[in-house]
Amino acid sequence: AQSVAQPEDQVNVAEGNPLTVKCTYSVSGNPYLFWYVQYPNRGLQFLLKYITGDNLVKGSYGFEAEFNKSQTSFHLKKPSALVSDSALYFCAVRDMDSNYQLIWGAGTKLIIKP
Amino acid sequence: ETGVTQTPRHLVMGMTNKKSLKCEQHLGHNAMYWYKQSAKKPLELMFVYSLEERVENNSVPSRFSPECPNSSHLFLHLHTLQPEDSALYLCASSQDRAGPTDTQYFGPGTRLTVL
């Protein structure tokens, strides 16, 4: 069965420091992976996706994600955190056994402290 | 308006009420989705429509009834809900349901409270 895990409920980072939000997955076949962000009282916004090719994917707002096939991970990263990056982040993987539905992680709350 | 819009943004209803949530997408997409978001839980896919035809119904109770009159509009009709149905209901759209690389775009959601 396909699955995705976000092992941290919350991540705290000081402004200006690099940030990492972790995501691991389990799929049969090629993984198609997504990151979304949700700001308070807002819907989810698409950040980036991995389909194939370069293991480092660049996305919106200066975010990037590193695909690691051997570790089955797709961690979200940013070199220098901003207070405005504080939000809820969701990782998702495409379920190839169920009409390509997205399987979602439970989310990681990112708090950037000034 | 651009993107995906949802109305109302907030809704409080009693268990015996009937209400509807509305979603409209301005992206020219062919697929639309309803999700339920509860705190600290993964998003739950409720319904999927592709070209106005319902293609997925993930064991959702019959007190939730979707309607898709055209490819731009999606409704979720609610009746005799339970307090545990209180959640954020998100609408999304994508160009094509069937593609593994297809990206979903979300509306702001309707915060539903059932008393």
Side-chain angles (χ1 to χ4, degrees):
Chain A
Q2 332 283 334
S3 65
V4 63
Q6 295 181 243
E8 302 156 316
D9 288 340
Q10 183 170 309
V11 172
N12 298 300
V13 178
E15 186 178 25
N17 283 0
L19 69 87
T20 298
V21 183
K22 296 180 179 178
C23 173
T24 59
Y25 65 90
S26 174
V27 298
S28 56
N30 294 324
Y32 298 95
L33 298 151
F34 300 76
W35 275 105
Y36 284 80
V37 59
Q38 186 176 33
Y39 297 101
N41 301 314
R42 303 282 292 275
L44 276 70
Q45 295 181 33
F46 170 71
L47 279 178
L48 51 82
K49 63 183 177 183
Y50 173 81
I51 304 304
T52 186
D54 195 347
N55 289 342
L56 188 64
V57 181
K58 295 190 182 298
S60 305
Y61 311 121
F63 283 93
E64 56 190 24
E66 185 173 10
F67 172 69
N68 188 315
K69 187 173 183 178
S70 63
Q71 297 185 7
T72 62
S73 67
F74 188 55
H75 299 334
L76 183 70
K77 300 183 178 185
K78 188 173 183 181
S80 179
L82 301 173
V83 173
S84 57
D85 293 329
S86 299
L88 194 55
Y89 290 81
F90 291 93
C91 181
V93 65
R94 188 73 72 183
D95 186 349
M96 309 302 276
D97 295 333
S98 183
N99 290 326
Y100 303 122
Q101 290 185 26
L102 285 174
I103 300 171
W104 296 86
T108 298
K109 185 175 183 179
L110 177 64
I111 298 176
I112 309 299
K113 298 182 178 179
Chain B
E1 293 244 37
T2 59
V4 182
T5 59
Q6 290 186 243
T7 55
R9 294 293 307 276
H10 301 271
L11 178 62
V12 179
M13 59 187 290
M15 294 169 60
T16 58
N17 291 158
K18 291 184 179 181
K19 297 286 185 182
S20 296
L21 310 184
K22 179 183 176 181
C23 175
E24 183 173 1
Q25 60 97 359
H26 309 268
L27 301 170
H29 289 166
N30 294 319
M32 297 187 77
Y33 310 76
W34 279 117
Y35 284 92
K36 177 183 180 182
Q37 184 181 20
S38 304
K40 299 187 178 181
K41 293 177 64 177
L43 269 68
E44 300 173 50
L45 180 63
M46 301 175 71
F47 301 103
V48 181
Y49 277 82
S50 178
L51 296 172
E52 303 150 41
E53 177 184 349
R54 189 191 310 180
V55 294
E56 295 288 347
N57 177 348
N58 285 1
S59 302
V60 179
S62 59
R63 57 186 182 268
F64 295 91
S65 175
E67 178 189 2
C68 187
N70 56 61
S71 60
S72 298
H73 294 86
L74 185 64
F75 294 88
L76 188 62
H77 304 300
L78 316 170
H79 66 97
T80 59
L81 294 190
Q82 305 298 310
E84 60 265 28
D85 296 322
S86 299
L88 183 68
Y89 288 84
L90 293 165
C91 174
S93 71
S94 67
Q95 183 61 48
D96 178 10
R97 167 190 82 84
T101 65
D102 200 38
T103 300
Q104 294 179 19
Y105 295 89
F106 286 78
T110 295
R111 173 67 63 186
L112 174 66
T113 302
V114 181
L115 301 177

